[in-house]
Amino acid sequence: MDQIVLKAQTLIEALPYIQKFNNKKVVVKYGGSAMLDENLQSNVIKDVALLKLVGMKPIIVHGGGKEITKWLERLGHKSVFVEGLRVTDEITMEIVEMVLGKVNKSLVQMVERLGVKAVGISGKDGNTLKVEKRYVNGKDIGYVGNIKEVNTDLINTLIDNDFVPVIAPIGLDENFVNYNINADDVACAVATAIGAEKLVFLTDIEGVYADPEDKNSLISVLTLEKADELIAGGFVGGGMLPKLKNCVDAVRNGVSRVHILDGRMPHCLLLEFFTNRGIGTAIIHKESLFENEILEF
């Protein structure tokens, strides 16, 4: 009986969040280890399906870097990275598109299996992601694109017709040449363009730390001002630095809240969306603080 009552209390706790985010667009950037473990995959997709079924409008943007690296190795093609971006020659671009297409349709299949309609697209479809060639410190790294514009027509058409869009990070330049795009950049650009209420990054860490060496210094709620301080003070490094900068840019450009979550935690999306405490780190404008939230940093 105690367990039944606890379940009821959990549902009651979720009710105001279900009401608050009903009919709101939320973007989930799916990547990292959560894509490689079948149980974690299942949990993430179940979470997204539940978000849809309780009235939200989820959009999935996925990566596939580890799977791409695996296939390149199988074909004897070495992966080279410059500042976290994969150097993408013609052969690599072909493999990137092949692998991302495979991942994309697999995710669609998993969503559909749960009784939720989904459609897989890339930025090429409907000319959704318009890009230009990206350089790193003047260095040409091949077919890697910067997003110039997001055409939301196809995404909104899918949402309006009750589908979950599942987006692979490939775009076209003005000459209709394929480009590989960083999936974090795609998630931010899409969230901003469609006016998403929430943007969630599923990562391989718990969130943002005030002190990267102290695992007890996880920051639950991070304002833009404090995020700027962390970045300027050199407290954030490695792969988290560009991710946090993306989060800050997304909030400044109109996304209400951006969350960095540990995708290895089962049902992390539900815990963040529907519980008072939540998990991970939320990046917000200070005035967007919920009544139950406390600034700890």
Side-chain angles (χ1 to χ4, degrees):
M1 180 61 73
D2 288 344
Q3 288 184 339
I4 295 173
V5 171
L6 183 60
K7 287 180 181 178
Q9 289 173 340
T10 301
L11 291 173
I12 294 301
E13 182 179 339
L15 180 57
Y17 299 103
I18 293 173
Q19 292 172 322
K20 184 176 182 64
F21 299 113
N22 183 56
N23 214 33
K24 302 292 187 182
K25 297 171 184 174
V26 296
V27 175
V28 177
K29 191 274 173 172
Y30 182 33
S33 297
M35 295 194 73
L36 304 178
D37 182 284
E38 288 187 8
N39 288 329
L40 290 176
Q41 272 191 351
S42 177
N43 287 334
V44 169
I45 299 305
K46 285 178 181 177
D47 286 4
V48 172
L50 185 57
L51 297 181
K52 173 66 176 167
L53 292 170
V54 298
M56 297 185 198
K57 297 178 176 180
I59 300 98
I60 299 173
V61 174
H62 67 86
K66 294 181 180 180
E67 188 75 6
I68 291 167
T69 298
K70 183 180 76 174
W71 278 97
L72 285 169
E73 288 175 352
R74 285 183 178 181
L75 296 171
H77 206 70
K78 185 179 179 181
S79 294
V80 179
F81 294 88
V82 176
E83 294 191 8
L85 297 171
R86 186 186 303 275
V87 176
T88 307
D89 58 16
E90 288 188 18
I91 294 175
T92 302
M93 187 65 232
E94 287 185 17
I95 296 169
V96 165
E97 189 162 18
M98 176 192 74
V99 173
L100 290 178
K102 178 178 180 293
V103 170
N104 186 274
K105 298 312 175 187
S106 175
L107 294 175
V108 168
Q109 185 178 15
M110 293 173 72
V111 176
E112 294 267 3
R113 191 177 289 132
L114 295 171
V116 173
K117 298 191 298 182
V119 171
I121 65 171
S122 78
K124 294 166 61 174
D125 296 303
N127 206 15
T128 296
L129 298 176
K130 302 176 184 179
V131 306
E132 62 186 359
K133 189 178 184 66
R134 182 169 184 171
Y135 295 87
V136 177
N137 298 323
K139 181 179 177 62
D140 186 344
I141 55 173
Y143 295 94
V144 179
N146 260 333
I147 299 172
K148 290 175 60 180
E149 182 184 345
V150 178
N151 178 352
T152 61
D153 291 348
L154 178 55
I155 297 172
N156 283 327
T157 296
L158 293 172
I159 292 171
D160 291 344
N161 285 277
D162 210 33
F163 289 93
V164 173
V166 182
I167 305 173
I170 297 173
L172 296 173
D173 71 3
E174 60 183 4
N175 297 313
F176 300 96
V177 175
N178 294 346
Y179 279 83
N180 183 21
I181 315 170
N182 179 276
D184 286 357
D185 293 348
V186 174
C188 285
V190 168
T192 300
I194 66 171
E197 184 72 17
K198 282 178 178 274
L199 166 61
V200 182
F201 289 94
L202 300 183
T203 68
D204 287 346
I205 61 172
E206 290 83 357
V208 180
Y209 296 97
D211 177 0
E213 303 299 320
D214 180 5
K215 297 304 181 183
N216 294 315
S217 67
L218 180 68
I219 304 169
S220 296
V221 181
L222 185 62
T223 64
L224 292 181
E225 294 77 13
K226 292 298 183 180
D228 288 339
E229 287 180 21
L230 282 177
I231 293 169
F235 294 101
V236 181
M240 179 53 71
L241 181 57
K243 197 177 297 290
L244 184 56
K245 287 181 176 179
N246 271 334
C247 294
V248 168
D249 288 343
V251 174
R252 285 208 164 99
N253 287 309
V255 178
S256 180
R257 285 177 164 248
V258 181
H259 301 266
I260 298 175
L261 306 182
D262 186 350
R264 300 167 299 179
M265 179 179 290
H267 301 298
C268 60
L269 284 172
L270 300 187
L271 292 170
E272 180 57 53
F273 275 58
F274 298 135
T275 63
N276 289 333
R277 176 62 178 173
I279 59 171
T281 299
I283 296 93
I284 64 168
H285 282 289
K286 191 172 183 178
E287 56 269 25
S288 301
L289 197 69
F290 290 161
E291 290 182 3
N292 61 286
E293 291 178 325
I294 300 173
L295 293 178
E296 305 165 337
F297 176 76

